[in-house]
Amino acid sequence: MHPPPVLGRAVTSRALLVGQAPGDKEPVVGRPFAWTAGRTLFSWFNAALGWTEDETRERIYFAAVCRCFPGKRPEGGDRVPAPEEIANCASWLEAEFALLRPQLVIPVGKLAIAQFLPPAPLVEVIGRPFRIRYHGYACDCIPLPHPSGASPWHRIEPGKTLLGQALARIAAHPATKKF
């Protein structure tokens, strides 16, 4: 893992978005989802809730499974954090949950989803709400696919429709209505 850690804004929110780990650009810019995937993610929130990027960052607390850039894979692309790296960072997410006690968690991408739900294909989890318990805290969970440009999943069917369903559920959730 390559420091510095990347953190979202310190906002009090009942909605917690959990990403995988920062890419190589996020440590330079100093905020999560600051590059291509971020543009896509914020366009989703704009379409579903009418929020700009800045409004989204002010209304949703951004966390991650791992806070530092994990590095590149030898064949290219960002490396997925190893299980021991995930375990080393887990206390941060647990502490954020304990402080915020979110009503809604929005895991983005397979690695983040796997922290809250049993392994399953994206078609079985995207677009569906779940009631979960995370370290003693109960909340709703509405997973999103990763907005990476490398994956076409959210741009083709059934991903496109399931993404729309997930965003509609997020927009209707009480945790996003308190503004």
Side-chain angles (χ1 to χ4, degrees):
M1 303 295 275
H2 302 275
V6 177
L7 307 169
R9 292 179 184 171
V11 297
T12 302
S13 177
R14 291 295 186 193
L16 175 75
L17 184 142
V18 181
Q20 173 175 292
D24 61 345
K25 309 283 189 301
E26 280 74 9
V28 175
V29 179
R31 63 183 185 272
F33 287 100
W35 207 245
T36 306
R39 282 193 295 274
T40 300
L41 180 72
F42 294 115
S43 74
W44 294 348
F45 281 99
N46 185 260
L49 293 115
W51 297 350
T52 65
E53 176 181 340
D54 197 53
E55 289 169 329
T56 302
R57 290 185 187 278
E58 285 295 323
R59 294 173 178 181
I60 296 178
Y61 185 89
F62 279 70
V65 174
C66 291
R67 303 305 163 92
C68 296
F69 174 55
K72 295 286 187 184
R73 297 181 314 205
E75 63 275 11
D78 294 350
R79 182 177 65 78
V80 175
E84 59 273 7
E85 293 168 326
I86 294 168
N88 285 340
C89 292
S91 64
W92 295 104
L93 187 57
E94 292 168 25
E96 289 163 327
F97 244 83
L99 287 169
L100 294 172
R101 297 179 182 238
Q103 294 175 346
L104 173 64
V105 64
I106 306 166
V108 178
K110 290 179 185 178
L111 182 70
I113 294 167
Q115 307 311 301
F116 303 99
L117 299 172
L122 288 178
V123 296
E124 294 178 15
V125 296
I126 305 300
R128 295 181 52 204
F130 297 88
R131 189 73 181 161
I132 63 165
R133 288 193 71 76
Y134 182 79
H135 294 277
Y137 298 98
C139 67
D140 295 325
C141 177
I142 302 175
L144 291 176
H146 198 284
S148 167
S151 171
W153 194 90
H154 61 275
R155 293 187 301 269
I156 59 175
E157 293 300 343
K160 191 174 181 178
T161 296
L162 294 173
L163 170 62
Q165 291 172 358
L167 292 167
R169 291 182 186 281
I170 291 168
H173 196 279
T176 63
K177 294 290 187 193
K178 296 183 178 183
F179 302 100

